Amino acid sequence: MSGLPHSAHALVTGGGRGIGRAIAAALAGSGATVTVLGRNAAVLDEAVNAGAAHFSEVADVSDEAALKAAIAKAAARQPINILIANAGSAESAPFAKSDDALFARMMDVNFMGVVHAIRAVLPEMRDRPHGRIVAIASTAGLKGYCYVSAYSAAKHAVIGLVRSLALELATSGVTVNAVCPGFTDTDLIAGSIENIMKKTGRSREQAIAELAKHNPQGRLVSPGEVADAVLWLCGEGAGAITGQAIAVAGGEI
């Protein structure tokens, strides 16, 4: 696998915990300068102090002005040539109880947050010989699941964006891809586990098994496995890979 380009600067949204932090650490370990961005300064600082990233910026990806300002600060330190649009949020409810506000929240963070981040980095990125944009979508962007219609719709939108933008940028040095994890062992999935326990009376082990059964390997995906796929896409050897939605899900899709 070819490595990252010389002097790579990667910005990872939602980089303070879970999949985002694993991606940040993988990129940093491969020689990139890494800036993590998120809403919780303490969580971001802990990631930097632990060596998972070099710098942090605080912003909500659903607030385009704040995100643009934070990314401009990061780019002023070093031009950004890798964007990992990872920040996301998941809420579950039956469709009949999914009101407009829930759909708006899911679209604002999971889809428009990706749009805002790309808008902020792309003008300068496309003028350089190497650029990588990777959106962390979900298997929910490739198929449906019960009780997450709003979340799934937002993730489907992300994949549509990736496929279209990849074509627009095909003759540039910028590739655009999505990585689609299945149920992954993070604090985000912990909320789903608690929800299953509360609503069904099942034990924690039974709730985990309920989610793991979607994976033919019978387990949750690890954040590091997602990070490995992202790292490959960011490498110089993946220049011909663009417009793809790569599932990291043990064969579920």
Side-chain angles (χ1 to χ4, degrees):
M1 179 179 69
S2 298
L4 300 178
H6 180 67
S7 300
H9 181 194
L11 183 129
V12 183
T13 70
R17 55 166 60 98
I19 290 173
R21 177 161 169 166
I23 293 169
L27 289 165
S30 295
T33 298
V34 178
T35 298
V36 287
L37 181 148
R39 295 179 299 177
N40 189 318
V43 169
L44 297 172
D45 289 344
E46 198 279 325
V48 172
N49 292 336
H54 301 89
F55 303 100
S56 65
E57 298 292 343
V58 178
D60 185 333
V61 297
S62 65
D63 182 338
E64 184 170 16
L67 181 63
K68 184 177 180 179
I71 289 178
K73 285 177 61 180
R77 288 192 296 269
Q78 182 179 335
I80 296 166
N81 52 7
I82 297 173
L83 169 67
I84 312 300
N86 166 76
S89 175
E91 295 183 45
S92 62
F95 177 77
K97 295 184 178 179
S98 300
D99 58 14
D100 287 357
L102 188 155
F103 271 87
R105 288 194 299 273
M106 292 298 92
M107 291 299 292
D108 283 348
V109 175
N110 295 302
F111 176 62
M112 290 309 300
V114 176
V115 172
H116 296 158
I118 294 174
R119 279 179 179 161
V121 303
L122 187 56
E124 293 186 2
M125 184 184 288
R126 71 189 306 171
D127 291 335
R128 292 190 290 276
H130 178 104
R132 297 288 186 264
I133 296 171
V134 181
I136 306 304
S138 168
T139 49
L142 297 169
K143 60 178 283 187
Y145 294 98
C146 293
Y147 309 121
V148 288
S149 55
Y151 175 77
S152 183
K155 292 298 189 179
H156 272 74
V158 169
I159 292 173
L161 170 68
V162 162
R163 289 171 172 163
S164 296
L165 186 57
L167 294 176
E168 287 191 33
L169 299 175
T171 58
S172 74
V174 180
T175 65
V176 189
N177 291 287
V179 170
C180 304
F183 288 101
T184 305
D185 191 9
T186 67
D187 56 349
L188 185 64
I189 209 68
S192 297
I193 292 169
E194 292 295 334
N195 199 34
I196 291 171
M197 293 169 61
K198 180 179 178 180
K199 290 185 176 181
T200 67
R202 295 176 182 174
S203 68
R204 182 171 299 276
E205 291 73 20
Q206 290 171 326
I208 292 172
E210 177 67 21
L211 298 178
K213 75 178 184 182
H214 293 281
N215 182 335
Q217 294 179 334
R219 64 181 180 88
L220 298 178
V221 175
S222 77
E225 290 172 314
V226 182
D228 283 347
V230 172
L231 190 61
W232 169 64
L233 288 171
C234 292
E236 292 186 300
I241 312 301
T242 194
Q244 302 305 301
I246 300 173
V248 182
E252 179 183 355
I253 292 179

